[in-house]
Amino acid sequence: MADSPPQPPGPPSASPAHLVGIPRLQPACRATLTLRGGTLWRHRPLYAELVRRAKEQGLAGAHVLHAIEGFSPGGPVVHHRAFGLRDRLPLCVVIVDDRPAVDRFLGSLDPRMRIDSIVLDRVYQLTPHDGTPRTDKE
């Protein structure tokens, strides 16, 4: 009996049985871009530029997560307890939308941007109840 090829991580393209009854659940793609805190792009934080571009391109969502410990390729392990290294802690910029929109976003990035890694996941996104964007008043 031949071994089947390994499957990529993440849910299959069809909704899993336990999620079928949840309304407004749509397949999506999540891109997690990891970079070092303190990284600049044209004199402003790179993470802010990535979020700005995601908003400008109309992507469904973008968030920045600040790590408390981690390391980048070829770099030392840094953590929030280390005096003076706080600005070098890893940051994750998480972008969510459908796969073509995420691919367009990633393709629009300048190759000189100092992004340590990009991870893509197949996910499911819960859309707003009536399809309209949320406001700050909610």
PDB file of all heavy atoms in Angstrom, residues 59-76:
ATOM      1  N   LEU A  59      -8.486  45.148   2.042  1.00  0.00           N
ATOM      2  CA  LEU A  59      -8.489  43.812   2.623  1.00  0.00           C
ATOM      3  C   LEU A  59      -9.442  43.748   3.810  1.00  0.00           C
ATOM      4  O   LEU A  59      -9.748  44.759   4.448  1.00  0.00           O
ATOM      5  CB  LEU A  59      -7.077  43.410   3.038  1.00  0.00           C
ATOM      6  CG  LEU A  59      -6.110  43.210   1.852  1.00  0.00           C
ATOM      7  CD1 LEU A  59      -4.698  43.040   2.337  1.00  0.00           C
ATOM      8  CD2 LEU A  59      -6.536  42.019   1.023  1.00  0.00           C
ATOM      9  N   ALA A  60      -9.907  42.548   4.129  1.00  0.00           N
ATOM     10  CA  ALA A  60     -10.926  42.358   5.162  1.00  0.00           C
ATOM     11  C   ALA A  60     -10.425  42.700   6.559  1.00  0.00           C
ATOM     12  O   ALA A  60     -11.200  43.145   7.398  1.00  0.00           O
ATOM     13  CB  ALA A  60     -11.447  40.918   5.133  1.00  0.00           C
ATOM     14  N   GLY A  61      -9.138  42.511   6.834  1.00  0.00           N
ATOM     15  CA  GLY A  61      -8.635  42.810   8.160  1.00  0.00           C
ATOM     16  C   GLY A  61      -7.125  42.729   8.239  1.00  0.00           C
ATOM     17  O   GLY A  61      -6.493  42.000   7.485  1.00  0.00           O
ATOM     18  N   ALA A  62      -6.554  43.504   9.166  1.00  0.00           N
ATOM     19  CA  ALA A  62      -5.117  43.482   9.427  1.00  0.00           C
ATOM     20  C   ALA A  62      -4.904  43.857  10.886  1.00  0.00           C
ATOM     21  O   ALA A  62      -5.535  44.792  11.388  1.00  0.00           O
ATOM     22  CB  ALA A  62      -4.370  44.457   8.524  1.00  0.00           C
ATOM     23  N   HIS A  63      -4.057  43.109  11.565  1.00  0.00           N
ATOM     24  CA  HIS A  63      -3.769  43.360  12.980  1.00  0.00           C
ATOM     25  C   HIS A  63      -2.281  43.179  13.227  1.00  0.00           C
ATOM     26  O   HIS A  63      -1.631  42.371  12.563  1.00  0.00           O
ATOM     27  CB  HIS A  63      -4.546  42.394  13.876  1.00  0.00           C
ATOM     28  CG  HIS A  63      -6.020  42.542  13.733  1.00  0.00           C
ATOM     29  ND1 HIS A  63      -6.731  41.939  12.729  1.00  0.00           N
ATOM     30  CD2 HIS A  63      -6.904  43.249  14.449  1.00  0.00           C
ATOM     31  CE1 HIS A  63      -8.000  42.260  12.847  1.00  0.00           C
ATOM     32  NE2 HIS A  63      -8.138  43.060  13.883  1.00  0.00           N
ATOM     33  N   VAL A  64      -1.770  43.897  14.210  1.00  0.00           N
ATOM     34  CA  VAL A  64      -0.371  43.774  14.607  1.00  0.00           C
ATOM     35  C   VAL A  64      -0.329  43.175  16.004  1.00  0.00           C
ATOM     36  O   VAL A  64      -0.994  43.670  16.920  1.00  0.00           O
ATOM     37  CB  VAL A  64       0.340  45.145  14.595  1.00  0.00           C
ATOM     38  CG1 VAL A  64       1.796  44.997  15.038  1.00  0.00           C
ATOM     39  CG2 VAL A  64       0.256  45.774  13.216  1.00  0.00           C
ATOM     40  N   LEU A  65       0.437  42.107  16.158  1.00  0.00           N
ATOM     41  CA  LEU A  65       0.609  41.444  17.445  1.00  0.00           C
ATOM     42  C   LEU A  65       2.060  41.602  17.872  1.00  0.00           C
ATOM     43  O   LEU A  65       2.975  41.301  17.102  1.00  0.00           O
ATOM     44  CB  LEU A  65       0.242  39.961  17.327  1.00  0.00           C
ATOM     45  CG  LEU A  65      -1.140  39.673  16.739  1.00  0.00           C
ATOM     46  CD1 LEU A  65      -1.322  38.185  16.518  1.00  0.00           C
ATOM     47  CD2 LEU A  65      -2.217  40.229  17.639  1.00  0.00           C
ATOM     48  N   HIS A  66       2.273  42.040  19.103  1.00  0.00           N
ATOM     49  CA  HIS A  66       3.612  42.258  19.627  1.00  0.00           C
ATOM     50  C   HIS A  66       4.014  41.047  20.465  1.00  0.00           C
ATOM     51  O   HIS A  66       3.354  40.726  21.442  1.00  0.00           O
ATOM     52  CB  HIS A  66       3.621  43.520  20.477  1.00  0.00           C
ATOM     53  CG  HIS A  66       4.988  44.028  20.768  1.00  0.00           C
ATOM     54  ND1 HIS A  66       5.212  45.333  21.106  1.00  0.00           N
ATOM     55  CD2 HIS A  66       6.185  43.440  20.775  1.00  0.00           C
ATOM     56  CE1 HIS A  66       6.503  45.503  21.315  1.00  0.00           C
ATOM     57  NE2 HIS A  66       7.102  44.369  21.122  1.00  0.00           N
ATOM     58  N   ALA A  67       5.099  40.411  20.099  1.00  0.00           N
ATOM     59  CA  ALA A  67       5.576  39.231  20.821  1.00  0.00           C
ATOM     60  C   ALA A  67       6.276  39.648  22.115  1.00  0.00           C
ATOM     61  O   ALA A  67       6.777  40.765  22.240  1.00  0.00           O
ATOM     62  CB  ALA A  67       6.523  38.437  19.945  1.00  0.00           C
ATOM     63  N   ILE A  68       6.325  38.719  23.056  1.00  0.00           N
ATOM     64  CA  ILE A  68       7.070  38.976  24.284  1.00  0.00           C
ATOM     65  C   ILE A  68       8.403  38.254  24.282  1.00  0.00           C
ATOM     66  O   ILE A  68       9.267  38.528  25.108  1.00  0.00           O
ATOM     67  CB  ILE A  68       6.254  38.597  25.536  1.00  0.00           C
ATOM     68  CG1 ILE A  68       5.882  37.126  25.525  1.00  0.00           C
ATOM     69  CG2 ILE A  68       5.033  39.474  25.653  1.00  0.00           C
ATOM     70  CD1 ILE A  68       5.309  36.628  26.839  1.00  0.00           C
ATOM     71  N   GLU A  69       8.569  37.331  23.341  1.00  0.00           N
ATOM     72  CA  GLU A  69       9.845  36.627  23.225  1.00  0.00           C
ATOM     73  C   GLU A  69       9.907  35.989  21.855  1.00  0.00           C
ATOM     74  O   GLU A  69       8.897  35.603  21.280  1.00  0.00           O
ATOM     75  CB  GLU A  69       9.973  35.549  24.307  1.00  0.00           C
ATOM     76  CG  GLU A  69      11.322  34.876  24.336  1.00  0.00           C
ATOM     77  CD  GLU A  69      11.536  34.042  25.592  1.00  0.00           C
ATOM     78  OE1 GLU A  69      10.537  33.707  26.262  1.00  0.00           O
ATOM     79  OE2 GLU A  69      12.692  33.749  25.890  1.00  0.00           O
ATOM     80  N   GLY A  70      11.105  35.867  21.302  1.00  0.00           N
ATOM     81  CA  GLY A  70      11.261  35.209  20.017  1.00  0.00           C
ATOM     82  C   GLY A  70      12.615  35.484  19.408  1.00  0.00           C
ATOM     83  O   GLY A  70      13.464  36.155  19.991  1.00  0.00           O
ATOM     84  N   PHE A  71      12.797  34.921  18.205  1.00  0.00           N
ATOM     85  CA  PHE A  71      14.034  35.163  17.473  1.00  0.00           C
ATOM     86  C   PHE A  71      13.737  35.113  15.991  1.00  0.00           C
ATOM     87  O   PHE A  71      12.745  34.544  15.555  1.00  0.00           O
ATOM     88  CB  PHE A  71      15.141  34.163  17.846  1.00  0.00           C
ATOM     89  CG  PHE A  71      14.849  32.744  17.465  1.00  0.00           C
ATOM     90  CD1 PHE A  71      15.283  32.221  16.258  1.00  0.00           C
ATOM     91  CD2 PHE A  71      14.140  31.924  18.332  1.00  0.00           C
ATOM     92  CE1 PHE A  71      15.007  30.915  15.921  1.00  0.00           C
ATOM     93  CE2 PHE A  71      13.863  30.618  18.003  1.00  0.00           C
ATOM     94  CZ  PHE A  71      14.295  30.104  16.790  1.00  0.00           C
ATOM     95  N   SER A  72      14.585  35.747  15.221  1.00  0.00           N
ATOM     96  CA  SER A  72      14.488  35.769  13.768  1.00  0.00           C
ATOM     97  C   SER A  72      15.645  34.973  13.200  1.00  0.00           C
ATOM     98  O   SER A  72      16.620  34.699  13.915  1.00  0.00           O
ATOM     99  CB  SER A  72      14.546  37.210  13.266  1.00  0.00           C
ATOM    100  OG  SER A  72      13.464  37.949  13.778  1.00  0.00           O
ATOM    101  N   PRO A  73      15.567  34.614  11.916  1.00  0.00           N
ATOM    102  CA  PRO A  73      16.681  33.860  11.333  1.00  0.00           C
ATOM    103  C   PRO A  73      18.016  34.565  11.558  1.00  0.00           C
ATOM    104  O   PRO A  73      18.149  35.753  11.270  1.00  0.00           O
ATOM    105  CB  PRO A  73      16.336  33.807   9.847  1.00  0.00           C
ATOM    106  CG  PRO A  73      14.852  33.960   9.802  1.00  0.00           C
ATOM    107  CD  PRO A  73      14.512  34.864  10.957  1.00  0.00           C
ATOM    108  N   GLY A  74      18.958  33.849  12.131  1.00  0.00           N
ATOM    109  CA  GLY A  74      20.293  34.378  12.366  1.00  0.00           C
ATOM    110  C   GLY A  74      20.405  35.339  13.533  1.00  0.00           C
ATOM    111  O   GLY A  74      21.472  35.892  13.773  1.00  0.00           O
ATOM    112  N   GLY A  75      19.315  35.559  14.263  1.00  0.00           N
ATOM    113  CA  GLY A  75      19.350  36.520  15.358  1.00  0.00           C
ATOM    114  C   GLY A  75      19.286  35.842  16.707  1.00  0.00           C
ATOM    115  O   GLY A  75      18.948  34.667  16.819  1.00  0.00           O
ATOM    116  N   PRO A  76      19.595  36.569  17.760  1.00  0.00           N
ATOM    117  CA  PRO A  76      19.540  36.010  19.109  1.00  0.00           C
ATOM    118  C   PRO A  76      18.094  35.924  19.603  1.00  0.00           C
ATOM    119  O   PRO A  76      17.197  36.571  19.065  1.00  0.00           O
ATOM    120  CB  PRO A  76      20.315  37.031  19.938  1.00  0.00           C
ATOM    121  CG  PRO A  76      20.056  38.328  19.231  1.00  0.00           C
ATOM    122  CD  PRO A  76      20.003  37.973  17.763  1.00  0.00           C
TER     123      PRO A  76
END
